[in-house]
Amino acid sequence: MKRAIPAVVSTAMALTLVLAGCGGEDEPVDPNAPVTITLAGWSLSSTPEFKTLADGFKATRPNVTVELKEYDAANYDTQMIADLAAGTAPDVYVLKNLRNFYTYQSGGQLLDVSEAGSALGSLPALAPYQVDGKTYAVPYRQDSWVLYYNKELFDKAKVAHPDGSWTWDDYVAAAKQLTAGLKGAGSTATGAYQHVWQSTAQGFALAQTPGADLLSGDLAYLKPYYQRSLDLQAAGAQPTFGTANTNKLSYQVQFGKQQSAMLLMGTWYVATLLNQRKSGEADTFEWGIAPAPQYDRSTAGTSATPVTFGDPTGMGINPKISKSKVAAAQAFLAYVAGEEAGKALAGIGITPARASDPITETLFALDGVPGDDLSKFAYGTHEIRPENPVSNHTAGMQNVLNDLHSAVMSDSKGLDEAITEAQARAKNEVLTQ
């Protein structure tokens, strides 16, 4: 999908009367009656998007209160699956990515929200949530992975800034040049930081490599991406996987406290960096956004459309919700995926699923967000491919690939051995099930 999507009409209010009867004909619902719906969220003190959406919807529907229920961010899906099974889950819950959508949908844990979905107009991020012509969740965020860079550290190392045309070879060369240049200038910062997540290698490999298919069982496409990562580790141009794990390094500290000059990360980090600059958890320095390095020159440059990856973040309705609350919950879903909520999210640095020029302008008007042309291009122009294709095999494959990632990046197994072993496991443990 490309983040170049026409603006959509307001939907939440239009759905009020349409959805008022969704609770069943035997239970009429007064659309103006006070109602409270519960919404799952995580890290509420540092993740303002949930309160922003709840308050924004309250402004359009004063009779509806959205009450937040906090979950642990690291164990969100495990806790949510348990609560759904126990009947204690909130009325509306978040699908952090597409990895477990199949599990939720096929397990009957998502209400059909086609009424809300049909009112959203052109919204490509909606497609993954549609099964057999029905919609089971709506996207409210669509992050993509980009390259963050510290302009001041580039200047200190006397290395040219990214210009939007980089391939992975250019990125590797720059990381090494930065490390050497910074060392010569008396700095201990590294040229790059690669976080410990498997996404940092596998997401790009899957999205950018021609013919790559997570569900084929052929994992050879991963090899060049891991070769580069291992090369950067060996050269000292980024902290090793072992160091990052043992010392519990965070990408926020590595980039925000200027310990690394480059960081590949999702667009959600914009909001985090802005908040941490205000709190003092991050330094104040000149930074920018560039497109992620590309597989080859065919998609590199500001006259091309760079390829990156990212799953939408969506919301669905617990099928055990009280019938009297269904209309309000569906209207809330229509709101969170619409233009008004998109502007509200952009206003706190979050990338909404709904893309439009006014939304982009809102985000780049925030204090501290870089206003250069390359940053705007990187944020708004790219083809986003999913990290997690919707399938009954996706979760199992990602578990196998997470083991491969840890084995390769920790040097506990050779790259070829790890890929061969993962392919055998994929065939015997996942794809034949």
Side-chain angles (χ1 to χ4, degrees):
M1 65 198 73
K2 293 184 180 180
R3 295 195 58 80
I5 306 168
V8 71
V9 297
S10 175
T11 56
M13 292 303 295
L15 280 171
T16 299
L17 296 177
V18 174
L19 297 174
C22 289
E25 294 182 1
D26 59 337
E27 191 174 343
V29 179
D30 178 358
N32 298 312
V35 59
T36 296
I37 58 176
T38 52
L39 168 66
W42 55 83
S43 306
L44 298 182
S45 63
S46 60
T47 309
E49 66 199 64
F50 305 111
K51 187 176 187 301
T52 296
L53 292 172
D55 291 348
F57 185 61
K58 180 75 171 178
T60 67
R61 292 285 300 273
N63 63 306
V64 181
T65 298
V66 180
E67 186 177 280
L68 303 179
K69 180 177 179 180
E70 188 165 19
Y71 284 79
D72 176 60
N75 298 295
Y76 175 81
D77 282 307
T78 300
Q79 293 177 352
M80 182 57 64
I81 289 169
D83 279 3
L84 286 166
T88 57
D91 300 320
V92 179
Y93 64 97
V94 179
L95 292 90
K96 293 184 78 170
N97 50 45
L98 294 175
R99 178 169 179 161
N100 290 303
F101 171 69
Y102 179 88
T103 299
Y104 289 122
Q105 190 277 326
S106 64
Q109 300 293 1
L110 286 167
L111 194 72
D112 179 355
V113 295
S114 297
E115 293 273 12
S118 65
L120 294 175
S122 177
L123 188 58
L126 185 65
Y129 299 118
Q130 296 175 323
V131 179
D132 296 331
K134 296 180 179 180
T135 302
Y136 290 92
V138 302
Y140 74 95
R141 277 174 45 184
Q142 175 61 75
D143 290 294
S144 61
W145 282 62
V146 294
L147 176 64
Y148 295 86
Y149 67 100
N150 183 319
K151 296 181 179 181
E152 295 179 17
L153 289 181
F154 267 79
D155 292 343
K156 190 172 187 177
K158 295 181 171 53
V159 175
H161 294 194
D163 61 4
S165 68
W166 283 9
T167 64
W168 286 102
D169 288 341
D170 297 318
Y171 171 79
V172 170
K176 293 178 179 178
Q177 291 166 10
L178 284 162
T179 303
L182 289 168
K183 183 178 180 180
S187 172
T188 59
T190 59
Y193 176 69
Q194 180 177 352
H195 198 45
V196 297
W197 300 333
Q198 66 192 95
S199 308
T200 58
Q202 296 173 7
F204 288 113
L206 179 64
Q208 296 179 340
T209 307
D213 182 357
L214 177 72
L215 305 175
S216 69
D218 181 357
L219 305 176
Y221 67 89
L222 296 171
K223 189 170 181 176
Y225 287 81
Y226 277 109
Q227 287 175 324
R228 285 187 289 263
S229 295
L230 293 172
D231 178 31
L232 288 174
Q233 286 191 162
Q238 65 182 35
T240 67
F241 181 79
T243 297
N245 271 312
T246 301
N247 296 336
K248 295 182 169 56
L249 300 185
S250 74
Y251 65 87
Q252 297 96 329
V253 170
Q254 286 300 121
F255 189 78
K257 299 300 286 184
Q258 305 190 80
Q259 299 303 304
S260 298
M262 296 189 292
L263 172 71
L264 288 160
M265 190 52 58
T267 47
W268 65 79
Y269 181 52
V270 172
T272 302
L273 182 56
L274 295 181
N275 289 333
Q276 290 185 334
R277 283 159 62 104
K278 290 178 182 177
S279 69
E281 296 172 87
D283 296 341
T284 299
F285 55 88
E286 292 295 317
W287 59 284
I289 306 171
Q294 295 297 292
Y295 179 84
D296 60 27
R297 299 288 177 195
S298 66
T299 56
T302 54
S303 61
T305 301
V307 176
T308 187
F309 75 97
D311 284 351
T313 302
M315 289 189 188
I317 298 177
N318 180 353
K320 293 181 181 177
I321 187 174
S322 167
K323 289 183 179 180
S324 63
K325 298 181 179 183
V326 171
Q330 290 230 39
F332 177 65
L333 260 60
Y335 168 79
V336 303
E339 180 84 6
E340 189 172 349
K343 290 180 182 178
L345 290 170
I348 58 171
I350 295 292
T351 304
R354 176 70 58 189
S356 69
D357 288 341
I359 287 174
T360 300
E361 290 167 5
T362 297
L363 186 139
F364 277 92
L366 294 175
D367 183 36
V369 175
D372 60 273
D373 289 342
L374 183 60
S375 293
K376 293 178 180 178
F377 172 82
Y379 179 84
T381 305
H382 40 243
E383 179 180 352
I384 307 172
R385 295 177 181 172
E387 178 183 4
N388 293 284
V390 176
S391 165
N392 62 318
H393 297 313
T394 297
M397 283 298 301
Q398 293 291 20
N399 290 337
V400 169
L401 289 177
N402 189 48
D403 291 342
L404 177 152
H405 180 72
S406 296
V408 170
M409 294 300 292
S410 65
D411 284 324
S412 62
K413 286 183 182 174
L415 179 54
D416 289 335
E417 177 189 1
I419 289 176
T420 299
E421 181 180 295
Q423 289 180 153
R425 286 186 60 196
K427 178 180 178 181
N428 297 326
E429 300 175 17
V430 180
L431 300 176
T432 57
Q433 301 301 314

